Amino acid sequence: MAADPADKPAPHWRTRTSSVLTTLAHGSVPFITTFLLVHLSAPAAANLGVPFSNAFSPPHPPRPLSSALSVTGYATAFIFLPIHILTHRLAPADLAPPIASLSPSELDYEYVKAALRGWPVRSKVLYAALVVGVALHAADGFGIIWSTWIPNLETPGRRARRALACAAVIPILTDLAVLAREPLFTLVSTAARSRAALTQSFVYRL
């Protein structure tokens, strides 16, 4: 009798990737809370009549919406991050069939593979845009925070920061490319529930 593919031990790199992705998923709530607190505290204080310079940081001229910092920040906060939260956190928790609340152990790399195999182009675009957008926004934002709070210490150049950000995301994008070429190693019923969860988002219903 042939062994069930799901019973085969996972390669080391896959186990490592699954561990990293699981940790990131579990840490999404505090990350999102911190993200919103930092980015919305100043506008909220300004609405209450507190000057922006006193609420958050020394005054700076407004950055154009076309700047890399603005584009990556707004695109991540209002497009890619909400889609990711819906498809990877909220929709899988739906108790109603056919989803029936996917457990944390079912939201591993096989869930990502279900998205990559079912909707290869849009899934690759969404994952890559989220990862690259966060990395580039962090690289530019890091320079602003550094120069604001540690003005006496020389700030790493923008090119150096972006190069480090790109170096950090290359392994993640490479792992996604490998996962996209792998078959699913999960139960047929679990794969169907994963597809049902993904289609809760309009992006996967188009």
Side-chain angles (χ1 to χ4, degrees):
M1 180 177 178
D4 189 341
D7 296 332
K8 295 182 179 179
H12 175 70
W13 71 266
R14 186 189 298 167
T15 303
R16 175 176 57 83
T17 302
S18 177
S19 176
V20 172
L21 292 176
T22 301
T23 301
L24 291 175
H26 291 171
S28 63
V29 173
F31 168 78
I32 295 165
T33 302
T34 303
F35 180 89
L36 293 176
L37 177 63
V38 171
H39 285 71
L40 299 181
S41 58
N47 289 335
L48 294 175
V50 180
F52 178 79
S53 58
N54 294 334
F56 187 68
S57 65
H60 291 282
R63 294 180 182 85
L65 292 177
S66 59
S67 69
L69 185 67
S70 297
V71 170
T72 55
Y74 287 120
T76 299
F78 298 112
I79 300 176
F80 301 114
L81 191 58
I83 292 173
H84 187 79
I85 294 171
L86 172 61
T87 55
H88 290 70
R89 302 293 292 180
L90 301 180
D94 190 352
L95 296 174
I99 300 173
S101 186
L102 289 163
S103 66
S105 63
E106 293 171 318
L107 293 174
D108 57 4
Y109 56 88
E110 293 298 328
Y111 187 82
V112 176
K113 285 164 60 175
L116 290 169
R117 290 185 64 81
W119 300 268
V121 175
R122 71 190 71 181
S123 294
K124 290 175 184 176
V125 169
L126 289 172
Y127 285 128
L130 178 61
V131 172
V132 174
V134 169
L136 292 179
H137 185 75
D140 282 3
F142 175 77
I144 296 173
I145 295 174
W146 186 301
S147 61
T148 299
W149 298 105
I150 319 177
N152 297 326
L153 192 60
E154 184 179 357
T155 307
R158 176 177 295 179
R159 288 186 178 180
R161 297 195 307 271
R162 290 184 176 180
L164 289 173
C166 291
V169 303
I170 286 176
I172 300 175
L173 298 180
T174 302
D175 283 350
L176 286 174
V178 173
L179 289 175
R181 294 196 297 268
E182 282 197 349
L184 288 174
F185 293 102
T186 189
L187 297 174
V188 174
S189 59
T190 303
R193 291 163 63 206
S194 297
R195 287 192 292 270
L198 289 164
T199 53
Q200 293 297 303
S201 170
F202 74 93
V203 174
Y204 290 102
R205 290 200 302 267
L206 295 177

